[in-house]
């Protein structure tokens, strides 16, 4: 019996038991689609959390001043003003800190911004040109502050989208002027909208050149003092090296030791790790659910295959009586089971992919297809289908023809 | 009158078959010796439970004896491999069963061509032979009908066509008329006689004396043993 005949015979068997074939394929189909979608949802959630964190700026270190001690009461992180612009200059030096790409010093305070007869209290940030890239932001309208603006101490301002809508409504803010603490600033650009980060509403702030902040806004005794420094490492992997370099450089330049440091450095890494492990748990949970549905689907397939072969033992006996060798019988059932498994697998894959495309429109939740999970699910379904189909058939093929013929 | 001295195509020597059902051992064949010559038409007759079906299964290589020797065309069957047995069943033996054993999803001619598929014959040739075989049993106008669309007698004739299609030397018929009315019985018996006239060896299993009467020779079997071989019915035809 040649291959063509084997395929023809198997195809006829599949067609002549239409309902059973459809049920078998359905079991495989649902199992695979479930695995693809649940793992995809988990991956999507993971990606979403990662994106959320990356909004803060990738490879980011945040340097805060240390605490002040007044009458023995320590004020907590950031209460002292120990960081200055010179620290930013120190860390920008590639010779001191080769793994630091950019430094954005930030001095900020919450102030009222007045436009005409409206006002809005927001976070006024004085910084340098690198802020935009370090914080991974873009300008939606107009332009960002330039090195020239910083050098000249120009009274220009880039505003966040929340500020824009609060002060100007639908009107374009670029070219308008506002006053902050009695100083007039002209608006040169609007930042893109990114929504809230884990720490604050990133759209509710205005950015001005650090020099303008120091000369016009700052109320500190030391006008070049800053509240925070954002440091971007050269890459994700050099983040801990950058951390060491920044710690060493600041410890040296501040003339402090490890025990009385007047600054602290935190990274996004710890946040990212927590978030990642959280949704890894979620992914494992979802994959577990998907795995169970695959198992249940597989057991269904096994059942149908087993019943199908059992009720066809007479047919196997007849075919043997007419001259079929055991291996011809095995081949027929192998082709039959793997055709069912494969077509169920392909249909399940298609349904999973379609679901991954369609679902985000309804759920507001991205679905990322994991090729590994998809391939694994198809392989498992195929193996289940084949084992469940071929094993009983191959046992029946070994029976004496008359025992097979007699079975009811 | 005994059969003309020809090489026995089937030779059984002290064949026994024991079935184990639970603790009980049932001896279906208790030492059967039998020769069937080429061109012979033998009816094996006995009441139900006599072991006659077991005998036919062993003759058809559908089952193997517990002990004893079975030679098919001179070859000891117990020395053959599964694949060799499959080939013997495929090329040398044509089966006709009481239950017809047709595949319900296949048209008549597709049922008839089944043994040819396992013989590895190309499709066009199989179709030609299957059609010829159906014509021979008088079903030329029913080739595309499925078994469910045929009467019992027609179904059995399809089964006979399937047994004939490989042109086997030996035809084994197990109660071929057991499920048929008297007219269809006559049809099938006439067909078998025709095949015998054409030189084929036929072994017919039955419990009915009228059916056995169609054969050239009758072997009676009782309690797993052959009664004294007595001749009834038509004379052995030469050929």
């Amino acid at each position: 019996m040649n291959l063509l005949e084997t395929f023809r015979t198997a195809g006829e068997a599949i067609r002549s038991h239409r309902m059973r074939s459809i049920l078998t394929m359905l079991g495989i189909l649902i199992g695979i689609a479930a695995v693809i979608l649940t793992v995809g949802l988990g991956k999507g959630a993971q990606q979403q959390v990662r994106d959320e964190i990356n909004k803060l700026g990738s490879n980011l270190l945040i340097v805060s001043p240390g605490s002040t001690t007044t009458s023995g009461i320590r004020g907590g992180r950031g209460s002292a003003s120990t960081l200055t612009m010179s620290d930013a200059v120190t860390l920008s030096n590639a010779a001191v800190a080769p793994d630091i790409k950019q430094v954005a010093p930030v001095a900020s305070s919450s102030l009222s911004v007045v436009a005409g007869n409206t006002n809005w209290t927001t976070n006024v940030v004085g910084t340098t040109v690198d802020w935009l890239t370090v914080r991974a932001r873009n300008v939606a309208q107009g332009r960002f502050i330039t090195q020239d603006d910083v050098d000249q101490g120009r009274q220009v301002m880039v505003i966040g989208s929340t500020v824009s809508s609060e002060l100007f409504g639908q009107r374009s803010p670029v070219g308008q002027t506002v006053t902050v603490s009695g100083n007039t600033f002209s608006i040169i650009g609007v930042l893109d909208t990114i929504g809230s980060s884990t720490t604050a509403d990133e759209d509710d702030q205005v950015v001005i050149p650090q020099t303008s902040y120091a000369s016009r806004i700052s109320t500190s005794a030391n006008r070049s003092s800053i509240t925070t420094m954002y440091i971007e490492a050269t890459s994700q992997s050099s983040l801990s090296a950058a951390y060491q370099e920044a710690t060493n450089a600041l410890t040296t330049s501040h003339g402090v030791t490890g025990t009385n440091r007047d600054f602290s450095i935190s990274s996004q890494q710890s946040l990212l790790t927590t978030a990642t492990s959280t949704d890894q748990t979620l992914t494992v949970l979802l994959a577990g659910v998907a795995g169970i549905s695959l198992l249940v689907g597989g057991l269904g397939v096994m059942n149908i295959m087993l019943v199908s072969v059992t009720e066809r033992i007479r047919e196997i006996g007849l075919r043997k009586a007419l001259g079929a060798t055991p291996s011809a019988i095995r081949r027929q059932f192998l082709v039959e089971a793997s055709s069912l498994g494969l077509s169920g697998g392909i249909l399940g894959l298609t349904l999973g992919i379609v679901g991954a495309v369609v679902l985000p429109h309804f759920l507001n939740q991205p679905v990322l297809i994991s090729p590994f999970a998809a391939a694994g699910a198809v392989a498992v379904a195929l193996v289940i289908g084949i084992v469940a189909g071929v094993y009983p058939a191959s046992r029946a093929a070994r029976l004496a023809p008359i025992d097979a013929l007699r079975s009811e | 009158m005994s059969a003309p001295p020809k090489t026995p195509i089937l030779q059984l020597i002290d064949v026994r078959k024991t079935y184990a059902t639970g603790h009980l051992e049932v001896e279906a064949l208790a030492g059967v010796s039998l020769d069937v010559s080429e061109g012979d038409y033998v009816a094996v007759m006995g009441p139900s439970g006599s072991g006659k079906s077991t005998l036919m299964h062993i003759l058809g290589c559908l089952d193997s004896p517990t002990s004893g020797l079975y030679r098919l065309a001179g070859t000891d069957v117990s020395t053959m491999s599964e694949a060799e047995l499959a080939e013997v069943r495929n090329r040398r033996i044509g089966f006709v069963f009481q239950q017809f054993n047709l595949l319900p999803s296949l048209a008549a001619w597709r049922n008839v061509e089944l043994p040819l598929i396992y013989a590895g014959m190309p499709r066009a040739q199989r179709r030609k032979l299957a059609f010829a075989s159906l014509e021979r049993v008088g079903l030329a106008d029913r080739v595309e009908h499925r078994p469910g669309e045929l009467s019992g007698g027609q179904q059995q004739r399809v089964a006979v066509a399937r047994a004939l299609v490989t042109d086997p030397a030996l035809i084994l018929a197990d109660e071929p008329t057991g499920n048929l009315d008297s007219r269809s019985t006559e049809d099938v018996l006439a067909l078998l006689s025709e095949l015998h006239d054409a030189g084929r060896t036929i072994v017919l299993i039955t419990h009915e004396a009228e059916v056995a009467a169609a054969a050239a020779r009758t072997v009676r079997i009782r309690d797993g043993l052959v009664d004294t071989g007595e001749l009834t019915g038509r004379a052995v035809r030469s050929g």
Side-chain angles (χ1 to χ4, degrees), chain A residues 114-116 155-157 159 167-168 171-179 184-189:
Chain A
V114 185
Q155 289 172 260
V156 291
M157 179 184 280
I159 64 176
L167 291 179
F168 301 102
R171 286 176 296 139
S172 168
V174 176
Q176 309 275 347
T177 56
V178 292
T179 38
T184 307
F185 286 84
S186 51
I187 295 169
I188 55 169

Side-chain angles (χ1 to χ4, degrees), chain B residues 4-142:
Chain B
K6 286 179 186 168
T7 32
I9 181 168
L10 306 177
Q11 187 176 37
L12 295 179
I13 299 168
D14 194 30
V15 165
R16 289 164 193 274
K17 178 72 184 179
T18 315
Y19 293 108
T21 45
H23 308 293
L24 224 65
E25 289 217 331
V26 179
E27 195 162 47
L29 294 179
V32 170
S33 299
L34 179 72
D35 282 5
V36 176
S37 316
E38 217 170 325
D40 208 349
Y41 186 176
V42 181
V44 175
M45 221 186 105
S48 70
S50 61
K52 59 185 191 304
S53 282
T54 306
L55 178 63
M56 153 156 161
H57 299 149
I58 286 171
L59 287 176
C61 305
L62 298 177
D63 210 347
S64 47
T66 311
S67 71
L69 184 67
Y70 171 31
R71 286 209 190 93
L72 177 71
T75 312
D76 181 359
V77 167
S78 65
T79 62
M80 292 190 196
S81 68
E82 267 274 9
E84 284 169 329
L85 284 172
E87 199 183 324
V88 165
R89 290 192 289 262
N90 186 237
R91 310 215 168 180
R92 308 184 73 111
I93 304 173
F95 290 100
V96 181
F97 300 96
Q98 180 178 4
Q99 310 289 344
F100 318 146
N101 281 328
L102 301 173
L103 294 182
S105 60
L106 300 181
W109 80 270
R110 301 292 315 280
N111 266 292
V112 173
E113 71 156 359
L114 278 175
L116 301 177
I117 292 181
Y118 294 110
M121 189 179 284
R123 190 176 162 88
Q125 203 180 340
R126 293 200 308 261
R127 190 183 159 91
K128 217 178 86 190
L129 286 177
F131 275 58
S133 193
L134 279 165
E135 195 178 346
R136 183 156 184 200
V137 299
L139 288 175
D141 54 343
R142 294 284 190 274

